[in-house]
Amino acid sequence: MKSNLTAVALAALVVAGAAATAIPASAAPAKAEPTRCHTADLKAGFATGEDARPEMEQTEKQTQAYVWFTNQSKRTCTLSGFAGVDMIGAQETDGTWSLARSSKKPEELVLEQGDTVDFSITLLPVAKSTPQKEKFVPAKFLVTPPNETEHFTLRWPFGGQILKQDGATHPATYLNPVGR
Protein backbone atom coordinates (compact mmCIF):
# COMPACT_ATOMS: atom_id res chain seq x y z
CA MET A 1 0.00 0.00 0.00
CA LYS A 2 2.90 2.28 0.75
CA SER A 3 4.17 1.90 -2.80
CA ASN A 4 0.70 2.66 -4.25
CA LEU A 5 0.51 5.92 -2.23
CA THR A 6 4.03 6.82 -3.28
CA ALA A 7 3.17 6.18 -6.93
CA VAL A 8 0.01 8.30 -6.68
CA ALA A 9 1.91 11.16 -4.97
CA LEU A 10 4.66 11.05 -7.60
CA ALA A 11 2.08 11.06 -10.37
CA ALA A 12 0.35 14.09 -8.81
CA LEU A 13 3.69 15.95 -8.63
CA VAL A 14 4.48 15.15 -12.23
CA VAL A 15 1.03 16.32 -13.36
CA ALA A 16 1.27 19.51 -11.27
CA GLY A 17 4.74 20.22 -12.62
CA ALA A 18 3.58 19.65 -16.19
CA ALA A 19 0.58 21.90 -15.63
CA ALA A 20 2.80 24.66 -14.25
CA THR A 21 5.16 24.51 -17.20
CA ALA A 22 2.39 24.13 -19.77
CA ILE A 23 1.45 27.85 -19.51
CA PRO A 24 3.41 29.80 -22.12
CA ALA A 25 5.25 32.93 -20.97
CA SER A 26 3.27 35.03 -23.47
CA ALA A 27 0.08 34.20 -21.57
CA ALA A 28 1.36 35.92 -18.42
CA PRO A 29 -0.21 39.34 -17.88
CA ALA A 30 1.94 42.06 -19.48
CA LYS A 31 2.94 45.06 -17.43
CA ALA A 32 1.45 48.19 -18.99
CA GLU A 33 3.91 50.74 -20.34
CA PRO A 34 3.72 54.05 -18.45
CA THR A 35 1.94 56.90 -20.20
CA ARG A 36 3.03 60.52 -20.16
CA CYS A 37 2.75 62.68 -17.08
CA HIS A 38 -0.08 65.20 -17.08
CA THR A 39 -0.04 68.52 -15.25
CA ALA A 40 -2.40 67.10 -12.61
CA ASP A 41 0.14 64.31 -11.91
CA LEU A 42 2.90 66.78 -11.08
CA LYS A 43 4.04 69.44 -8.62
CA ALA A 44 6.48 72.12 -9.77
CA GLY A 45 8.76 74.73 -8.27
CA PHE A 46 12.11 76.50 -8.49
CA ALA A 47 15.12 74.73 -7.01
CA THR A 48 16.23 77.13 -4.28
CA GLY A 49 19.11 75.29 -2.61
CA GLU A 50 22.38 77.19 -2.32
CA ASP A 51 24.01 75.39 -5.27
CA ALA A 52 20.83 75.70 -7.41
CA ARG A 53 20.34 79.46 -7.08
CA PRO A 54 21.12 81.52 -10.20
CA GLU A 55 23.82 84.15 -9.71
CA MET A 56 21.61 87.13 -10.51
CA GLU A 57 23.95 89.64 -8.81
CA GLN A 58 26.77 89.03 -11.34
CA THR A 59 26.48 90.43 -14.86
CA GLU A 60 29.57 88.99 -16.56
CA LYS A 61 28.16 85.66 -17.75
CA GLN A 62 25.09 83.49 -18.10
CA THR A 63 23.68 81.64 -15.09
CA GLN A 64 21.04 78.95 -14.60
CA ALA A 65 17.80 78.62 -12.70
CA TYR A 66 16.27 75.17 -12.25
CA VAL A 67 12.60 74.20 -12.28
CA TRP A 68 11.62 70.78 -10.89
CA PHE A 69 8.68 68.49 -11.52
CA THR A 70 7.74 65.80 -8.97
CA ASN A 71 5.37 62.94 -9.81
CA GLN A 72 2.72 63.20 -7.10
CA SER A 73 0.37 60.67 -8.72
CA LYS A 74 0.02 57.05 -7.67
CA ARG A 75 1.25 55.79 -11.06
CA THR A 76 4.45 55.74 -13.06
CA CYS A 77 4.51 58.26 -15.92
CA THR A 78 6.92 59.65 -18.51
CA LEU A 79 8.18 63.12 -19.39
CA SER A 80 9.96 63.99 -22.60
CA GLY A 81 10.68 67.27 -24.32
CA PHE A 82 10.65 70.90 -23.39
CA ALA A 83 8.41 72.61 -20.88
CA GLY A 84 6.69 75.75 -22.06
CA VAL A 85 7.95 78.77 -20.12
CA ASP A 86 6.48 82.27 -20.27
CA MET A 87 8.05 84.90 -18.03
CA ILE A 88 5.81 87.70 -16.83
CA GLY A 89 7.69 90.88 -16.04
CA ALA A 90 7.37 93.10 -12.96
CA GLN A 91 7.70 96.34 -14.97
CA GLU A 92 4.78 97.74 -16.91
CA THR A 93 6.90 97.67 -20.08
CA ASP A 94 8.03 94.02 -19.65
CA GLY A 95 4.91 92.16 -20.71
CA THR A 96 5.26 88.40 -21.26
CA TRP A 97 8.32 86.71 -22.76
CA SER A 98 7.97 83.16 -24.14
CA LEU A 99 11.38 81.55 -23.80
CA ALA A 100 13.16 79.98 -26.77
CA ARG A 101 14.41 76.38 -26.64
CA SER A 102 18.02 75.25 -26.77
CA SER A 103 19.28 72.86 -29.43
CA LYS A 104 19.77 70.05 -26.88
CA LYS A 105 17.94 66.82 -27.68
CA PRO A 106 15.28 65.67 -25.21
CA GLU A 107 15.23 62.18 -23.76
CA GLU A 108 12.30 60.23 -22.33
CA LEU A 109 12.34 60.02 -18.54
CA VAL A 110 10.32 57.57 -16.44
CA LEU A 111 9.06 58.96 -13.14
CA GLU A 112 7.92 56.58 -10.42
CA GLN A 113 5.64 57.95 -7.71
CA GLY A 114 7.62 60.61 -5.79
CA ASP A 115 10.44 60.94 -8.36
CA THR A 116 11.68 64.42 -9.25
CA VAL A 117 13.32 65.69 -12.43
CA ASP A 118 14.32 69.21 -13.41
CA PHE A 119 15.27 71.38 -16.35
CA SER A 120 17.43 74.46 -16.53
CA ILE A 121 16.71 77.95 -17.75
CA THR A 122 19.83 79.77 -18.93
CA LEU A 123 19.69 83.48 -18.06
CA LEU A 124 21.81 86.52 -18.89
CA PRO A 125 21.60 88.93 -15.92
CA VAL A 126 22.25 92.65 -16.40
CA ALA A 127 23.31 95.46 -14.08
CA LYS A 128 20.75 97.72 -12.41
CA SER A 129 22.34 100.59 -14.34
CA THR A 130 21.28 99.04 -17.68
CA PRO A 131 18.72 101.26 -19.45
CA GLN A 132 15.15 100.36 -18.52
CA LYS A 133 14.18 99.37 -22.09
CA GLU A 134 17.04 96.81 -22.22
CA LYS A 135 16.18 94.89 -19.08
CA PHE A 136 13.42 92.48 -18.13
CA VAL A 137 12.53 92.14 -14.45
CA PRO A 138 10.99 88.69 -13.86
CA ALA A 139 8.02 88.41 -11.52
CA LYS A 140 6.24 85.14 -12.43
CA PHE A 141 6.90 82.13 -14.61
CA LEU A 142 4.10 80.19 -16.29
CA VAL A 143 5.53 76.67 -16.61
CA THR A 144 3.70 74.09 -18.74
CA PRO A 145 4.94 70.47 -18.59
CA PRO A 146 5.91 68.93 -21.96
CA ASN A 147 2.94 68.09 -24.21
CA GLU A 148 0.44 69.67 -21.82
CA THR A 149 -1.76 72.78 -21.96
CA GLU A 150 -2.27 73.49 -18.23
CA HIS A 151 0.50 75.42 -16.48
CA PHE A 152 1.89 76.14 -13.04
CA THR A 153 2.34 79.76 -11.95
CA LEU A 154 5.64 80.13 -10.09
CA ARG A 155 6.74 83.34 -8.37
CA TRP A 156 10.33 84.31 -9.27
CA PRO A 157 12.23 84.13 -5.94
CA PHE A 158 15.72 85.31 -7.03
CA GLY A 159 15.46 89.02 -7.90
CA GLY A 160 17.71 90.65 -10.47
CA GLN A 161 17.17 91.64 -14.09
CA ILE A 162 17.70 89.84 -17.40
CA LEU A 163 18.92 91.34 -20.67
CA LYS A 164 15.73 91.79 -22.68
CA GLN A 165 16.06 89.75 -25.87
CA ASP A 166 12.51 88.56 -26.37
CA GLY A 167 12.71 89.25 -30.12
CA ALA A 168 16.25 87.89 -30.71
CA THR A 169 16.94 85.00 -33.07
CA HIS A 170 19.46 83.44 -30.65
CA PRO A 171 18.71 84.94 -27.23
CA ALA A 172 21.11 84.43 -24.32
CA THR A 173 18.11 83.50 -22.14
CA TYR A 174 16.54 80.16 -23.12
CA LEU A 175 15.40 76.83 -21.72
CA ASN A 176 16.72 73.29 -21.93
CA PRO A 177 14.74 70.03 -22.18
CA VAL A 178 13.51 68.22 -19.08
CA GLY A 179 16.32 66.19 -17.54
CA ARG A 180 19.08 68.39 -18.94
Side-chain angles (χ1 to χ4, degrees), residues 11 13 66 75 129 131 136 150 170 175:
L13 282 173
Y66 295 88
R75 67 182 185 87
S129 61
F136 185 96
E150 300 291 318
H170 299 287
L175 59 108

PDB file of all heavy atoms in Angstrom, residues 11 13 66 75 129 131 136 150 170 175:
ATOM      1  N   ALA A  11       2.872  10.736  -9.181  1.00  0.00           N
ATOM      2  CA  ALA A  11       2.077  11.056 -10.371  1.00  0.00           C
ATOM      3  C   ALA A  11       1.446  12.440 -10.227  1.00  0.00           C
ATOM      4  O   ALA A  11       1.408  13.232 -11.178  1.00  0.00           O
ATOM      5  CB  ALA A  11       1.000   9.988 -10.596  1.00  0.00           C
ATOM      6  N   LEU A  13       2.624  14.961  -8.474  1.00  0.00           N
ATOM      7  CA  LEU A  13       3.689  15.951  -8.627  1.00  0.00           C
ATOM      8  C   LEU A  13       4.060  16.146 -10.084  1.00  0.00           C
ATOM      9  O   LEU A  13       4.271  17.260 -10.548  1.00  0.00           O
ATOM     10  CB  LEU A  13       4.928  15.534  -7.835  1.00  0.00           C
ATOM     11  CG  LEU A  13       4.878  15.764  -6.331  1.00  0.00           C
ATOM     12  CD1 LEU A  13       6.103  15.147  -5.658  1.00  0.00           C
ATOM     13  CD2 LEU A  13       4.797  17.236  -6.018  1.00  0.00           C
ATOM     14  N   TYR A  66      16.786  76.518 -12.038  1.00  0.00           N
ATOM     15  CA  TYR A  66      16.273  75.165 -12.251  1.00  0.00           C
ATOM     16  C   TYR A  66      14.827  75.077 -11.780  1.00  0.00           C
ATOM     17  O   TYR A  66      14.488  75.532 -10.691  1.00  0.00           O
ATOM     18  CB  TYR A  66      17.125  74.139 -11.496  1.00  0.00           C
ATOM     19  CG  TYR A  66      18.526  74.072 -12.031  1.00  0.00           C
ATOM     20  CD1 TYR A  66      19.518  74.911 -11.539  1.00  0.00           C
ATOM     21  CD2 TYR A  66      18.852  73.200 -13.059  1.00  0.00           C
ATOM     22  CE1 TYR A  66      20.815  74.869 -12.047  1.00  0.00           C
ATOM     23  CE2 TYR A  66      20.140  73.155 -13.576  1.00  0.00           C
ATOM     24  CZ  TYR A  66      21.113  73.992 -13.070  1.00  0.00           C
ATOM     25  OH  TYR A  66      22.378  73.955 -13.586  1.00  0.00           O
ATOM     26  N   ARG A  75       0.840  56.637  -9.935  1.00  0.00           N
ATOM     27  CA  ARG A  75       1.249  55.794 -11.058  1.00  0.00           C
ATOM     28  C   ARG A  75       2.606  56.252 -11.594  1.00  0.00           C
ATOM     29  O   ARG A  75       3.046  57.354 -11.309  1.00  0.00           O
ATOM     30  CB  ARG A  75       0.201  55.851 -12.170  1.00  0.00           C
ATOM     31  CG  ARG A  75       0.103  57.217 -12.842  1.00  0.00           C
ATOM     32  CD  ARG A  75      -0.991  57.254 -13.918  1.00  0.00           C
ATOM     33  NE  ARG A  75      -0.982  58.518 -14.620  1.00  0.00           N
ATOM     34  CZ  ARG A  75      -0.245  58.790 -15.683  1.00  0.00           C
ATOM     35  NH1 ARG A  75       0.539  57.865 -16.198  1.00  0.00           N
ATOM     36  NH2 ARG A  75      -0.292  59.970 -16.268  1.00  0.00           N
ATOM     37  N   SER A 129      22.112  99.350 -13.586  1.00  0.00           N
ATOM     38  CA  SER A 129      22.337 100.590 -14.343  1.00  0.00           C
ATOM     39  C   SER A 129      21.993 100.453 -15.834  1.00  0.00           C
ATOM     40  O   SER A 129      21.983 101.444 -16.555  1.00  0.00           O
ATOM     41  CB  SER A 129      23.809 101.016 -14.208  1.00  0.00           C
ATOM     42  OG  SER A 129      24.651 100.004 -14.735  1.00  0.00           O
ATOM     43  N   PRO A 131      19.932 100.489 -19.128  1.00  0.00           N
ATOM     44  CA  PRO A 131      18.722 101.262 -19.450  1.00  0.00           C
ATOM     45  C   PRO A 131      17.451 100.412 -19.314  1.00  0.00           C
ATOM     46  O   PRO A 131      17.448  99.227 -19.654  1.00  0.00           O
ATOM     47  CB  PRO A 131      18.937 101.681 -20.904  1.00  0.00           C
ATOM     48  CG  PRO A 131      20.417 101.652 -21.092  1.00  0.00           C
ATOM     49  CD  PRO A 131      20.919 100.552 -20.201  1.00  0.00           C
ATOM     50  N   PHE A 136      14.683  93.143 -18.460  1.00  0.00           N
ATOM     51  CA  PHE A 136      13.425  92.476 -18.133  1.00  0.00           C
ATOM     52  C   PHE A 136      13.523  92.080 -16.666  1.00  0.00           C
ATOM     53  O   PHE A 136      14.495  91.441 -16.260  1.00  0.00           O
ATOM     54  CB  PHE A 136      13.243  91.236 -19.021  1.00  0.00           C
ATOM     55  CG  PHE A 136      11.929  90.549 -18.846  1.00  0.00           C
ATOM     56  CD1 PHE A 136      10.878  90.831 -19.704  1.00  0.00           C
ATOM     57  CD2 PHE A 136      11.734  89.609 -17.846  1.00  0.00           C
ATOM     58  CE1 PHE A 136       9.662  90.192 -19.559  1.00  0.00           C
ATOM     59  CE2 PHE A 136      10.516  88.966 -17.686  1.00  0.00           C
ATOM     60  CZ  PHE A 136       9.473  89.260 -18.559  1.00  0.00           C
ATOM     61  N   GLU A 150      -2.094  72.846 -19.542  1.00  0.00           N
ATOM     62  CA  GLU A 150      -2.271  73.486 -18.234  1.00  0.00           C
ATOM     63  C   GLU A 150      -0.902  73.827 -17.655  1.00  0.00           C
ATOM     64  O   GLU A 150       0.029  73.044 -17.774  1.00  0.00           O
ATOM     65  CB  GLU A 150      -3.018  72.559 -17.274  1.00  0.00           C
ATOM     66  CG  GLU A 150      -4.405  72.165 -17.736  1.00  0.00           C
ATOM     67  CD  GLU A 150      -5.376  73.320 -17.721  1.00  0.00           C
ATOM     68  OE1 GLU A 150      -5.354  74.113 -16.752  1.00  0.00           O
ATOM     69  OE2 GLU A 150      -6.155  73.438 -18.680  1.00  0.00           O
ATOM     70  N   HIS A 170      18.720  84.326 -31.551  1.00  0.00           N
ATOM     71  CA  HIS A 170      19.464  83.442 -30.653  1.00  0.00           C
ATOM     72  C   HIS A 170      19.662  84.134 -29.316  1.00  0.00           C
ATOM     73  O   HIS A 170      20.758  84.600 -28.996  1.00  0.00           O
ATOM     74  CB  HIS A 170      20.823  83.067 -31.257  1.00  0.00           C
ATOM     75  CG  HIS A 170      20.715  82.329 -32.546  1.00  0.00           C
ATOM     76  ND1 HIS A 170      20.304  81.018 -32.610  1.00  0.00           N
ATOM     77  CD2 HIS A 170      20.934  82.715 -33.818  1.00  0.00           C
ATOM     78  CE1 HIS A 170      20.285  80.628 -33.869  1.00  0.00           C
ATOM     79  NE2 HIS A 170      20.654  81.650 -34.626  1.00  0.00           N
ATOM     80  N   LEU A 175      15.601  77.989 -22.583  1.00  0.00           N
ATOM     81  CA  LEU A 175      15.405  76.829 -21.716  1.00  0.00           C
ATOM     82  C   LEU A 175      15.919  75.560 -22.370  1.00  0.00           C
ATOM     83  O   LEU A 175      16.056  75.465 -23.590  1.00  0.00           O
ATOM     84  CB  LEU A 175      13.948  76.685 -21.294  1.00  0.00           C
ATOM     85  CG  LEU A 175      12.900  76.517 -22.368  1.00  0.00           C
ATOM     86  CD1 LEU A 175      12.380  75.102 -22.370  1.00  0.00           C
ATOM     87  CD2 LEU A 175      11.759  77.473 -22.075  1.00  0.00           C
TER      88      LEU A 175
END
